[in-house]
Amino acid sequence: MLIRLIYTLILSLASPLLLYGLYKSKPDKPSFGKRWKEHFGITPKIQGKSPIWIHAVSVGESIAAIPIIKQLKQRAPNQAIIVTTTTSTGAEQIDKLGGLVEHRYMPIDFSWCVRGFLKSVKPKQMLIMETELWPNTLHCVAKAGIPISVLNARLSEHSCQRYAKFQPVFNLLAKKLSQVLCQYPSDAERFVRLGLDKASVHVTGSIKFDIEVSAEQVEKGKALRAQFGSNRDVWIAASTHQGEDDVVLDAHKQLIKDNPNALLIIVPRHPERFNQVTELAKQHGFNTVTRTSQQVLTSDVEVYIADTMGEMLVLLGGADVCFMGGSLVGDKVGGHNLLEPASLKLPLLNGPSYFNFSEITDKLLEAQAVTICQNSNEIVGQLKELFTQPSLRKDKGLAAYQVVEQNRGALDNTLQYIID
């Protein structure tokens, strides 16, 4: 009780700053509009009864939740589902599901906000995507007799050690959880090491391996590739962070000395950096266009900035090689998910920091489907090798795809634990 009181006091002091960051207007960020009240537990009632409540904090978690939602509705068409996100960009992903689910914004982690949400929605169980654990939310939900499951859970060694420093806080969270469904045995081991009951921890695999690429996405990817020109060598730097764009632009500058027809697609991880990265590419002297400009992609365009959200699979479909960002910024990010490009049979390049996706990356390394690059020189060296050897590019792409196919099944494993 004392720990929660201290936590709530700290949250009260920090909440103005947190809310400012949440509501601050940014380019390409959808507005909350009048729905901001939902963050304070003023939640409109939903149409269905006894819904399954899925919480997916933002874009990544929302995308991971979509196959679960579709399978739940396929197996129980009349089952009501409500999905909460904290961010408006996450809500944008859920909106693509149409009438399959209802969306609400997640109440702030004050008990009175959460109680207001529960009174309005009355869920029969709560499913948390990955590891989004809030003390007051878990307390109120568990007190209401609602079982709580964490799905696709992951816990890096770095995060485990951080939680261990605040063991009483983690104990407060852990005792409210009904079950934790982990991506890998290493994740399960870390949760148990922190004190979770072994009987409540299960390894179901990573739902991200059960990635689905729709026919529409494939066709849009092919159409984008046709716009670029079939005779061009195209590489994509996906989900880049501050400091990485300079590295990939430097690599591209070296590449076009020998391969002037090459094209670089940059996909900044955060929409607020779209304009910044566009200007950076121009400062490097590149003929640059943005996706939203809808300019004709002439053969002299050297850099293409993907300044849209939710189109990663389409953009990957227009490329021949993928470099994954979040992996050249030391220990700040820890990499991003390589499975989307792998599912499209792209050879993969990655930086040395990938602790948040170590199991996936290690599987791809073992299959020789990904190459770790320390700097721009190593990136351009790999690009030259892949672009001059089509058979090597094809083999590495196929190896990546096989890793995805061989590790499918987490979705079915997960559903057996959450369906009544």
Side-chain angles (χ1 to χ4, degrees):
M1 184 64 177
L2 179 61
I3 293 174
R4 277 205 309 116
L5 285 173
I6 295 171
Y7 161 78
T8 302
L9 177 61
I10 294 171
L11 181 62
S12 300
L13 296 173
S15 58
L17 186 61
L18 295 174
L19 288 170
Y20 173 76
L22 187 63
Y23 295 134
K24 183 180 179 182
S25 178
K26 297 177 183 177
D28 299 294
K29 176 185 174 182
S31 170
F32 288 100
K34 295 180 180 179
R35 294 185 61 192
W36 62 269
K37 297 177 182 178
E38 294 174 27
H39 284 128
F40 295 89
I42 305 172
T43 305
K45 293 185 182 298
I46 70 167
Q47 295 179 7
K49 294 182 178 180
S50 301
I52 293 175
W53 171 19
I54 301 176
H55 177 56
V57 60
S58 192
V59 175
E61 295 83 1
S62 297
I63 292 173
I66 287 173
I68 293 176
I69 293 167
K70 288 181 176 179
Q71 281 295 310
L72 284 171
K73 292 299 284 189
Q74 184 176 328
R75 299 182 187 201
N78 296 323
Q79 173 61 58
I81 298 176
I82 183 170
V83 182
T84 54
T85 65
T86 302
T87 68
S88 56
T89 49
E92 195 173 43
Q93 294 299 317
I94 299 303
D95 286 345
K96 295 177 182 179
L97 291 169
L100 211 58
V101 299
E102 291 190 63
H103 175 268
R104 298 290 185 271
Y105 284 113
M106 181 71 175
I108 301 169
D109 196 38
F110 291 114
S111 295
W112 59 273
C113 296
V114 180
R115 285 196 295 267
F117 173 87
L118 294 176
K119 183 178 179 180
S120 177
V121 173
K122 297 181 174 60
K124 68 176 183 180
Q125 64 172 311
M126 180 184 189
L127 310 179
I128 301 173
M129 294 304 302
E130 301 190 0
T131 317
E132 182 74 10
L133 306 178
W134 293 95
N136 288 327
T137 296
L138 296 182
H139 172 78
C140 292
V141 174
K143 187 176 181 180
I146 300 166
I148 304 169
S149 301
V150 182
L151 312 187
N152 214 39
R154 59 179 184 174
L155 185 66
S156 68
E157 185 61 33
H158 181 74
S159 296
C160 180
Q161 292 176 8
R162 189 169 67 246
Y163 275 125
K165 293 178 182 178
F166 304 95
Q167 189 67 52
V169 177
F170 187 83
N171 293 343
L172 183 70
L173 301 173
K175 68 181 182 181
K176 308 297 183 184
L177 302 176
S178 305
Q179 58 182 353
V180 178
L181 309 184
C182 299
Q183 295 187 21
Y184 298 101
S186 56
D187 297 308
E189 182 274 327
R190 293 181 191 115
F191 276 109
V192 172
R193 195 198 315 166
L194 284 172
L196 263 73
D197 184 354
K198 282 186 178 181
S200 67
V201 180
H202 311 282
V203 179
T204 52
S206 173
I207 293 170
K208 292 180 178 179
F209 280 105
D210 290 302
I211 183 171
E212 293 182 4
V213 184
S214 69
E216 181 185 10
Q217 289 168 321
V218 171
E219 289 306 311
K220 285 183 176 179
K222 288 180 180 178
L224 181 61
R225 190 66 176 85
Q227 290 180 44
F228 293 151
S230 58
N231 63 329
R232 303 193 71 175
D233 291 326
V234 182
W235 68 292
I236 184 170
S239 296
T240 60
H241 288 252
Q242 183 82 33
E244 293 182 314
D245 306 288
D246 279 305
V247 176
V248 299
L249 288 166
D250 182 57
H252 193 56
K253 186 168 289 187
Q254 295 180 58
L255 178 65
I256 61 176
K257 289 178 182 178
D258 298 323
N259 188 349
N261 212 27
L263 174 68
L264 166 63
I265 307 169
I266 302 182
V267 189
R269 178 70 175 182
H270 300 111
E272 59 267 28
R273 296 186 57 247
F274 288 162
N275 292 336
Q276 175 192 340
V277 176
T278 301
E279 289 305 311
L280 185 64
K282 291 177 179 178
Q283 289 170 16
H284 276 70
F286 291 113
N287 184 1
T288 305
V289 302
T290 62
R291 182 160 175 77
T292 56
S293 71
Q294 297 184 330
Q295 288 179 242
V296 176
L297 293 171
T298 54
S299 59
D300 61 340
V301 172
E302 297 166 309
V303 175
Y304 183 78
I305 306 296
D307 55 343
T308 59
M309 296 290 288
E311 290 195 300
M312 184 63 81
L313 284 166
V314 173
L315 296 161
L316 290 167
D320 303 308
V321 179
C322 175
F323 170 81
M324 186 56 68
S327 58
L328 285 173
V329 283
D331 292 334
K332 295 179 181 179
V333 179
H336 288 300
N337 186 6
L338 286 162
L339 295 180
E340 286 186 325
S343 70
L344 292 170
K345 302 182 181 179
L346 292 184
L348 308 168
L349 306 179
N350 205 73
S353 178
Y354 51 87
F355 60 83
N356 270 328
F357 294 88
S358 56
E359 289 86 355
I360 289 172
T361 307
D362 286 344
K363 287 180 185 293
L364 290 163
L365 281 168
E366 186 179 348
Q368 298 183 350
V370 60
T371 303
I372 304 302
C373 301
Q374 302 289 334
N375 49 47
S376 60
N377 290 334
E378 292 188 10
I379 292 172
V380 75
Q382 289 298 316
L383 289 171
K384 287 180 178 179
E385 188 175 2
L386 290 165
F387 285 141
T388 56
Q389 299 182 54
S391 60
L392 176 65
R393 194 166 70 236
K394 181 179 179 180
D395 289 345
K396 284 187 172 290
L398 183 59
Y401 175 75
Q402 288 173 340
V403 169
V404 176
E405 291 300 302
Q406 290 164 3
N407 288 276
R408 289 187 181 274
L411 187 54
D412 286 337
N413 293 340
T414 298
L415 288 171
Q416 71 176 340
Y417 286 102
I418 61 177
I419 291 181
D420 292 342

